Amino acid sequence: MRPAPRLYIDGSLGAGPLALSPEHSRYLGQVLRLKEDGEVRLFNGRDGEWLYVLASVGRRGAEAVPQRQMRQGEPAADAPTLFFAPIKRTQTEILVQKATELGVAVLQPVITARTNRDSLRVDRLQSIAVEAAEQSERLTVPKIREPMSLTEMLEDPPSFVFCDEAGDQEAEPWGGQEGRAPPARPVFQQTDKKPEALLIGPEGGFTPEERAALRSCDAALPVSLGPRILRAETAAIVALTLWQASFGDLSSISS
Ligand code: SAM
């Protein structure tokens, strides 16, 4: 049997009958064709996950009654922040969706010299994160922050993994081999402090000045993600997977 549909809501859970928003009501009634007595699972990022039963469902609204708590709230997550330079709209949306599936806590857009700023809509990205959290059975939704500049980010950064594909030889393709960052996996195995965040650059990469500022930042842990140049959204997926496998929930069993 398919599990009941799962929706993120803002309000408190478990306290009594709940009036669902017109959007949720239309989705449950018209898209999923649920009727009275249909089941829905609700989560809000605080109270775990609750099973509700629909007392009524119509075009303009629906009422749901709590049955039981199915999952407890997660302990305050130790998940990373992803600093990312916005890319083209579809690729940015893929990055947000995949980073949510991979358990990121916060997504912070960072504006760099070569950033594509076209149509960065934080509200749209936030709804993509909500959908990805609903679909991936997460109990929390990552926060999408308003963009900040790279200069602002570097004023007081948390410890962060700097995904650096480049070398130091400016005349060579991708900066040549000299000055390349070491591969991420052994760096993560050897570090005694879990980095709190990761940074992925824009499609055109960081400028030499930006890269020099990042390489000289004490909070930065420069790593390579291998010998191939990855698109930014692929680099985000690879870096987060390696982080979760070394420090997070891919390194131990959890429910
Ligand atoms: N330098 C390139 C250019 O000029 O087009 C490529 C930038 S790459 C498409 C976008 C971002 O993904 C980079 O800034 C970096 O953060 C990350 N990235 C891609 N491949 C990587 C690799 N092999 N190692 C580390 N980071 C990588």
Side-chain angles (χ1 to χ4, degrees):
M1 200 173 106
R2 279 183 75 121
R6 202 168 174 268
L7 296 175
Y8 173 79
I9 63 157
D10 268 341
S12 300
L13 293 175
L18 202 70
L20 297 178
S21 69
E23 293 74 29
H24 281 156
S25 307
R26 268 195 297 279
Y27 174 68
L28 294 173
Q30 287 172 28
V31 180
L32 300 184
R33 305 205 164 274
L34 288 192
K35 311 236 175 303
E36 226 174 271
D37 288 338
E39 290 182 338
V40 56
R41 293 177 294 153
L42 301 178
F43 70 108
N44 62 5
R46 304 183 299 277
D47 302 326
E49 181 175 291
W50 281 75
L51 181 68
Y52 276 68
V53 160
L54 296 173
S56 63
V57 57
R59 276 172 187 277
R60 269 172 268 143
E63 192 179 61
V65 180
Q67 303 298 300
R68 64 189 162 87
Q69 190 177 33
M70 300 177 81
R71 288 162 72 193
Q72 302 281 328
E74 281 168 351
D78 217 0
T81 291
L82 181 64
F83 291 105
F84 70 100
I87 38 184
K88 288 193 190 119
R89 198 182 70 178
T90 308
Q91 277 77 17
T92 301
E93 293 181 0
I94 291 172
L95 182 151
V96 168
Q97 184 193 59
K98 300 305 169 205
T100 303
E101 290 173 35
L102 285 163
V104 79
V106 174
L107 282 137
Q108 173 66 67
V110 176
I111 307 300
T112 70
R114 295 177 184 156
T115 297
N116 182 333
R117 293 156 194 251
D118 292 352
S119 60
L120 181 75
R121 280 192 41 206
V122 170
D123 58 341
R124 160 111 186 116
L125 295 180
Q126 190 65 67
S127 357
I128 288 169
V130 167
E131 274 171 31
E134 288 172 346
Q135 178 272 328
S136 63
E137 304 274 334
R138 268 185 78 148
L139 288 173
T140 55
V141 175
K143 174 88 190 128
I144 317 282
R145 296 230 172 100
E146 288 296 329
M148 60 164 51
S149 67
L150 182 64
T151 313
E152 284 168 325
M153 181 208 145
L154 288 178
E155 275 165 16
D156 184 21
S159 58
F160 69 98
V161 175
F162 167 32
C163 296
D164 182 13
E165 78 288 6
D168 290 342
Q169 297 158 280
E170 278 178 38
E172 297 291 322
W174 315 117
Q177 287 306 315
E178 264 174 40
R180 283 273 165 110
R185 192 154 172 268
V187 171
F188 288 177
Q189 281 167 339
Q190 280 154 27
T191 185
D192 46 9
K193 197 171 152 240
K194 176 194 314 204
E196 296 160 80
L198 304 105
L199 171 67
I200 302 290
E203 269 320 310
F206 293 103
T207 63
E209 296 74 24
E210 288 173 335
R211 181 169 174 266
L214 285 162
R215 288 296 291 247
S216 65
C217 172
D218 286 343
L221 188 63
V223 302
S224 156
L225 301 175
R228 292 163 294 277
I229 304 297
L230 308 175
R231 291 180 69 146
E233 68 276 24
T234 316
I237 295 169
V238 172
L240 277 168
T241 305
L242 288 167
W243 190 98
Q244 288 286 31
S246 298
F247 310 110
D249 55 20
L250 291 183
S251 62
S252 62
I253 296 171
S254 61
S255 58

